[in-house]
Amino acid sequence: MDILTALASAAFGSTVYLTALSTVDWLNRMGPKVKVIGLVATGVVLCAVVGLIAVAGKGVVVGFIVGAVLTPPVHRILQRRGRVTNS
């Protein structure tokens, strides 16, 4: 397993998580029909990305999972720090 491949995949997993989170937040402000269609399209894209990652090598899969698992808690911590400093 190449460490650079795993690190790049972790960054990609993090990016996919943050992009999906932003997309869902944006869709929540839309009308019901647009929201449902957008959520279905987002789900299809995420399934395609995960399918492509699964076809890739072991290092890519491990890195992607690490990036996607570590991003949510780090994102929450950074959001809390931003609220504290803005107060």
Side-chain angles (χ1 to χ4, degrees):
M1 177 169 67
D2 183 16
I3 190 71
L4 291 177
T5 303
L7 287 174
S9 298
F12 182 67
S14 177
T15 303
V16 168
Y17 168 79
L18 292 173
T19 303
L21 179 67
S22 297
T23 303
V24 171
D25 285 345
W26 178 72
L27 286 170
N28 279 333
R29 293 186 293 253
M30 297 294 155
K33 287 183 181 180
V34 174
K35 182 177 177 180
V36 169
I37 293 169
L39 288 174
V40 168
T42 302
V44 168
V45 169
L46 287 175
C47 286
V49 168
V50 170
L52 288 173
I53 296 299
V55 171
K58 184 178 178 182
V60 175
V61 173
V62 170
F64 183 80
I65 292 170
V66 167
V69 168
L70 291 180
T71 301
V74 171
H75 186 241
R76 282 191 294 274
I77 290 168
L78 291 175
Q79 282 183 325
R80 280 191 223 125
R81 285 183 82 192
R83 287 187 205 133
V84 171
T85 58
N86 290 336
S87 298

